Amino acid sequence: LQFPPWRDDVVLAADKKGSVALWDFQKVTERTVYKPHTAIIFNIRHLSQFPGEQFASSSQDGRVRIWDAETGNAETAMNLNPNGWISMALWQQFLGMDVSPVGCLLAGDSMGRLHFVDPRTPGGSFAAPQIHKRVKINSVHVHPLDGNLVLTGSNDHTARISDVRALSTALSSTSGSSAGSGAPEATVVACMDHPKVVNSAYFSPRTGSKILTTCIDNRLRVWDSIWDANQLPSRAIVHSHDFNRHLSPFRAEWDPKDPAERVVVAGRYISEDFGGVKLHPVDLMDAATGRLLAELTDPNLPYICTVNKPHPRLDVIVTGASGSMYAWRPRAGDQEEEKSREAAAEERRRASATGVGSGGGTLGGTGGFLFFDANDPSDQKKKRKSAAATETDTPEKSKDKGPPKRSPKK
C-alpha cells in the first residue's frame, strides 16, 4: 500500500497477480487498475525526484519497473532474469525496495544483495554489494534525514544498518545478468540479531532516531536510539503475528502523523471474541511502553489484516485483506462509545498475561468503516458462496441439526 503525495483520498494497492489498483476511498467504488508486473508486487515507492506521477515497484517476477500512475505506461529499470524461466535454474526475485533522496532505487533481492538502480538508465544496476547472507532481503528503508543510512531486514535473522559511503569500497560494476555470486560483501554499520526471520525493519518516520522491527517470533522490537543498534533492543513487545503461509507477511508500521514517534500499527493473527464474533483486530500500540492503545474491529471484517498503512496526513488507516481494501476512520461525536471501548480494552489488557487482549469488546465497529472489493465479479460470486457456506456452519445452526449421522458398520 502507498499513498500518493498529490491526493489525500487515493491509495495505491498491489496484489499477488502483478496488478496495482488506484482506489479513491472517498468515492468507495472508483478505481483504476494497471498491471506492471506478472507476479506478486512487494513494494511501491513514489519517485518524487521525477516529473509527473512516477512510481517504482519491485516484484517476485525479478523486475524493478518504473510506471506512470496517470497513464499506466511502464518500463523495466532492472531484470534479474533476462533470459526468462529456465528449467533447474535459480529464479531471482526483488523484494524490499526504497528510494534515496537523490532518486536512486535501492532494491534487495532473494540472494542477499542490495542493488543500486538508476531509473534514468534502465537495464541494470550499477552496483550490487552483498548486504546479507544468500537469502531474501524482505525490507529496505532509507533514513528519512540522512540518505546515506540504509536499514534492511532479512531471512538470515538479522536487521542491518549500512552506510552507502562505506559501501563504496565494496561496489563493483555489474549488469542485470552478471550481478550474482561474485557480489562483494559490504561493510555493515550495525547488526541487530533476531531469533527468526525479520519481516520488516523501519526507521522512525520523522527523525529516524528509532528502529522498529517485526520478527516472526511474535515480537515487535524497538530501539530507542540507532546508536544502540549493536546492543539488545530497548523493548520487545509481545504480539501475535507468527503466520505467513498463504498470507502476506505481518509488518508493523509507524504512524507518520505522530510527532512523538510512538504510535505503531500492526495486524493481529490470533482472533479475539468481540461480542460473540471472532475477529482479528488491527492493533494500535505505544512503542515506548508496549501498551495497547486501541483495537480496530468490525463485524463485517472477519479476515486477517496483515497489510495496514496509516495515512501520512489524514486520520485514516487503510487495510488490505483477502483481495479487498478497507478504510478506517474515527467516528465523529461518539465519545460515549469510545469510552466504552477504552474501558473494555483496558479490562482485556488486565486479564491478559501478554498484554495483547483476551476477549470482551462490543459488536459494533471501533471506527468508521469503508469496504471495497478488489476482486473480479466472477471471484465475488465464489466469495459469496464461500461466505454462505461458512455461515451455515456456525455453532448455533450446527447445534440445531443434531449430531452428525454415521454410516452403519458392516
Side-chain angles (χ1 to χ4, degrees):
L1 297 175
Q2 185 73 21
F3 295 98
W6 63 86
R7 284 189 62 180
D8 288 342
D9 54 356
V10 171
V11 61
L12 282 71
D15 69 5
K16 64 181 181 181
K17 298 179 181 179
S19 300
V20 176
L22 283 71
W23 178 42
D24 188 334
F25 53 82
Q26 298 288 358
K27 299 180 180 179
V28 182
T29 57
E30 184 172 315
R31 66 167 179 172
T32 303
V33 180
Y34 302 124
K35 193 175 177 60
H37 293 276
T38 58
I40 299 173
I41 298 177
F42 291 109
N43 266 284
I44 304 175
R45 290 292 183 268
H46 178 243
L47 299 176
S48 58
Q49 298 82 2
F50 296 85
E53 303 172 0
Q54 300 290 315
F55 284 84
S57 53
S58 60
S59 171
Q60 190 182 46
D61 64 10
R63 295 183 295 173
V64 171
R65 304 205 75 193
I66 312 298
W67 46 275
D68 193 295
E70 184 176 1
T71 64
N73 295 332
E75 63 179 7
T76 300
M78 184 175 179
N79 188 357
L80 291 175
N81 310 286
N83 298 322
W85 172 259
I86 300 176
S87 180
M88 304 301 293
L90 179 64
W91 184 263
Q92 301 181 58
Q93 311 170 28
F94 274 121
L95 295 100
M97 184 188 66
D98 205 357
V99 183
S100 72
V102 296
C104 177
L105 296 174
L106 284 72
D109 68 10
S110 54
M111 298 299 292
R113 301 169 307 214
L114 184 65
H115 295 259
F116 291 74
V117 182
D118 188 347
R120 298 168 297 182
T121 57
S125 62
F126 59 83
Q130 193 79 36
I131 300 294
H132 290 268
K133 296 179 181 178
R134 293 171 63 86
V135 292
K136 296 177 180 178
I137 297 180
N138 298 314
S139 71
V140 177
H141 191 209
V142 177
H143 195 280
L145 300 182
D146 186 352
N148 295 311
L149 297 180
V150 182
L151 176 62
T152 54
S154 171
N155 278 16
D156 66 359
H157 301 185
T158 65
R160 304 186 181 192
I161 301 177
S162 304
D163 192 326
V164 174
R165 295 165 296 187
L167 297 180
S168 59
T169 58
L171 297 183
S172 65
S173 298
T174 59
S175 64
S177 58
S178 62
S181 58
E185 293 190 0
T187 304
V188 176
V189 176
C191 180
M192 292 154 278
D193 292 325
H194 292 68
K196 292 187 177 181
V197 169
V198 180
N199 283 343
S200 64
Y202 299 123
F203 291 113
S204 53
R206 290 175 176 256
T207 65
S209 60
K210 303 177 183 180
I211 294 173
L212 170 68
T213 66
T214 305
C215 181
I216 64 172
D217 66 341
N218 284 331
R219 298 293 189 278
L220 306 179
R221 289 174 173 80
V222 180
W223 281 261
D224 289 335
S225 173
I226 61 174
W227 307 113
D228 298 332
N230 278 319
Q231 303 177 15
L232 293 176
S234 304
R235 66 196 57 83
I237 304 171
V238 178
H239 187 259
S240 173
H241 52 255
D242 180 15
F243 193 86
N244 285 334
R245 181 174 293 182
H246 309 307
L247 292 174
S248 299
F250 287 89
R251 297 181 178 183
E253 296 259 0
W254 295 98
D255 187 347
K257 299 182 297 298
D258 179 22
E261 297 181 322
R262 295 178 58 167
V263 178
V264 172
V265 179
R268 191 193 307 174
Y269 171 60
I270 292 181
S271 63
E272 301 290 345
D273 189 304
F274 291 87
V277 180
K278 290 289 186 179
L279 300 174
H280 303 267
V282 176
D283 294 329
L284 277 70
M285 293 167 286
D286 187 346
T289 62
R291 186 169 65 93
L292 182 64
L293 302 176
E295 301 167 301
L296 304 182
T297 62
D298 192 283
N300 298 308
L301 179 52
Y303 307 114
I304 302 172
C305 304
T306 59
V307 183
N308 304 277
K309 192 78 172 178
H311 200 288
R313 298 171 295 276
L314 303 179
D315 287 332
V316 174
I317 297 176
V318 173
T319 292
S322 297
S324 302
M325 289 178 286
Y326 306 83
W328 304 91
R329 286 186 289 195
R331 287 175 174 169
D334 204 355
Q335 298 180 356
E336 292 299 326
E337 185 176 349
E338 184 177 354
K339 291 180 180 179
S340 175
R341 290 195 304 269
E342 291 178 354
E346 182 64 28
E347 185 178 351
R348 285 194 295 275
R349 284 194 294 270
R350 293 175 181 176
S352 173
T354 62
V356 177
S358 59
T362 58
L363 182 61
T366 58
F369 182 79
L370 290 175
F371 165 74
F372 176 69
D373 197 331
N375 292 321
D376 295 331
S378 59
D379 294 333
Q380 293 179 14
K381 293 181 180 179
K382 297 178 182 179
K383 205 169 186 179
R384 285 195 292 269
K385 288 181 180 180
S386 176
T390 304
E391 185 177 352
T392 57
D393 291 337
T394 56
E396 292 78 5
K397 294 191 177 183
S398 60
K399 184 177 179 180
D400 295 339
K401 294 179 181 178
K405 296 181 180 181
R406 297 182 180 177
S407 58
K409 296 182 179 180
K410 294 184 180 179

